[in-house]
Amino acid sequence: GGLVGSEMCIRDRTYPAHFEVRRVLPNGSIKYKQRPRFISESLAAWDIGIEHTSDQLRIWFSTMLLGTTDLDFDGPVDPAA
């Protein structure tokens, strides 16, 4: 079976130029600064966007803010409210 229309839109999603884009690995993690960082096994094989702000990283899946973490990604992702 093929992708339905909404899945096609999400899979083809491009993030703004100032985002870093990472592919989520089968174990649910991404590589960031040479280290694995857990995101979600549910997003395996999908791209997520990392937006840098002055005091945190914002983690995005398409247009959905998943959560935030510190600038070095040393802690877990705090879910978006």
Side-chain angles (χ1 to χ4, degrees), residues 10-11 15 22-30 37-49 59-62 64-67 77:
I10 291 172
R11 189 161 295 277
Y15 292 94
R22 296 286 192 278
R23 175 75 37 99
V24 180
L25 300 171
N27 66 1
S29 69
I30 61 167
R37 295 291 174 235
F38 185 76
I39 300 296
S40 171
E41 291 176 2
S42 301
L43 295 176
W46 293 89
D47 289 341
I48 56 110
I59 312 301
W60 295 86
F61 175 64
S62 187
M64 181 187 313
L65 177 61
L66 299 176
V77 175

Side-chain angles (χ1 to χ4, degrees), residues 32-59:
Y32 187 79
K33 293 188 176 181
Q34 316 300 314
R35 298 179 296 180
R37 295 291 174 235
F38 185 76
I39 300 296
S40 171
E41 291 176 2
S42 301
L43 295 176
W46 293 89
D47 289 341
I48 56 110
I50 302 171
E51 178 185 21
H52 293 253
T53 69
S54 61
D55 61 345
Q56 65 185 358
L57 298 176
R58 294 173 146 189
I59 312 301

